[in-house]
Amino acid sequence: MPTKRRADVKSPTRVPRNTLSRARVVDGALALIDADGLDALTMPRLAQYLGVGTMSVYRHVEDKDDLINAVAERVLGDVRVPGGRDDDWEGRVVGYLRALRAAALAHPALARILAERGLTVGAVFEQLEQAHSILRRAGFSDTDAVRTFYTLFVYVFGFVLWELPRVHQQPATSYIDSWNAAIDQLDINSYPTVHALREALTTAASTEQFEYGLGRLIASLRPQS
């Protein structure tokens, strides 16, 4: 079972009068989401966390949708496309996607936000511009550049959604223990292959599994010379 979330998040000292800003509101929302999940975020709770009235929050964000979009932009804004040659798609585009995975593991709500929302924020377009420019310079056609990027993108975030509850929101040993307990209940004569693969099966949500799948995808997507 996933570890229980903290019931409360320690509030910062009360925001001094007339110093509340959109950045402070967004940072507060991100702290609450990281601690208790996206569904726990409400405007009254955020106001209480910041030590202000609810209407003070609404002076800086239009509504909850605007706030969640701003939180996603805040997280994505810290992700960078690595430097390198203009056509180094395996180093730079894949490196960017690895950085996205790291951000999504640090801020678990990000994967859900991206899955459920069509984000049209500045950071997204800047990163799309860079990534697709690199792919085109690497020899991908316009269509293949888009198909390649989103094949990799969906794999990365699909894997994040798979691994988060298994090895990041609970101890990784708990995931292994659950596999072993389940396999122990299986008759070895009826499930000989599962028993034989026990050790490998317990790594199905590991970084090794992620990199294995990513590597196979990269190899299959390389432009034909």
Side-chain angles (χ1 to χ4, degrees):
M1 295 291 290
T3 53
K4 187 176 181 181
R5 291 184 181 275
R6 288 180 292 158
D8 234 342
V9 187
K10 185 178 179 181
S11 176
T13 55
R14 187 178 182 88
V15 176
R17 186 176 179 85
N18 298 323
T19 63
L20 188 65
S21 65
R22 183 176 174 88
R24 284 197 178 194
V25 169
V26 171
D27 285 346
L30 179 59
L32 288 176
I33 291 170
D34 282 346
D36 293 327
L38 191 59
D39 292 333
L41 177 66
T42 65
M43 302 304 250
R45 186 173 181 209
L46 176 58
Q48 182 181 29
Y49 172 75
L50 293 170
V52 300
T54 302
M55 292 311 299
S56 295
V57 174
Y58 279 108
R59 294 192 184 98
H60 301 280
V61 292
E62 294 178 9
D63 50 28
K64 188 174 178 180
D65 282 343
D66 180 38
L67 177 59
I68 292 174
N69 287 346
V71 166
E73 184 169 20
R74 162 75 172 74
V75 174
L76 290 170
D78 289 335
V79 179
R80 297 286 183 269
V81 177
R85 296 193 324 269
D86 287 346
D87 62 350
D88 181 16
W89 75 275
E90 292 186 37
R92 300 185 67 197
V93 176
V94 176
Y96 161 70
L97 291 168
R98 285 193 176 102
L100 268 182
R101 173 176 174 251
L105 293 178
H107 305 285
L110 179 63
R112 179 178 165 190
I113 293 171
L114 290 175
E116 295 179 356
R117 293 167 175 266
L119 288 179
T120 55
V121 295
V124 169
F125 286 115
E126 290 168 11
Q127 292 159 12
L128 287 177
E129 175 68 23
Q130 285 185 275
H132 285 83
S133 295
I134 294 165
L135 288 165
R136 293 175 76 193
R137 292 191 185 101
F140 291 88
S141 69
D142 290 356
T143 299
D144 285 348
V146 173
R147 298 289 180 264
T148 295
F149 179 82
Y150 280 99
T151 294
L152 294 168
F153 180 89
V154 172
Y155 170 76
V156 168
F157 274 92
F159 198 91
V160 166
L161 290 171
W162 164 261
E163 66 181 317
L164 272 170
R166 289 168 174 81
V167 295
H168 295 285
Q169 294 173 335
Q170 66 173 358
T173 53
S174 297
Y175 179 65
I176 296 172
D177 291 345
S178 67
W179 262 113
N180 286 323
I183 292 173
D184 285 341
Q185 299 301 311
L186 298 176
D187 177 65
I188 193 168
N189 294 313
S190 300
Y191 301 93
T193 303
V194 173
H195 275 274
L197 299 180
R198 177 194 294 258
E199 185 175 351
L201 286 169
T202 62
T203 67
S206 65
T207 295
E208 291 77 14
Q209 175 66 50
F210 170 78
E211 290 293 341
Y212 176 88
L214 185 61
R216 290 301 181 101
L217 276 177
I218 292 167
S220 71
L221 292 167
R222 287 179 182 134
Q224 298 299 312
S225 57

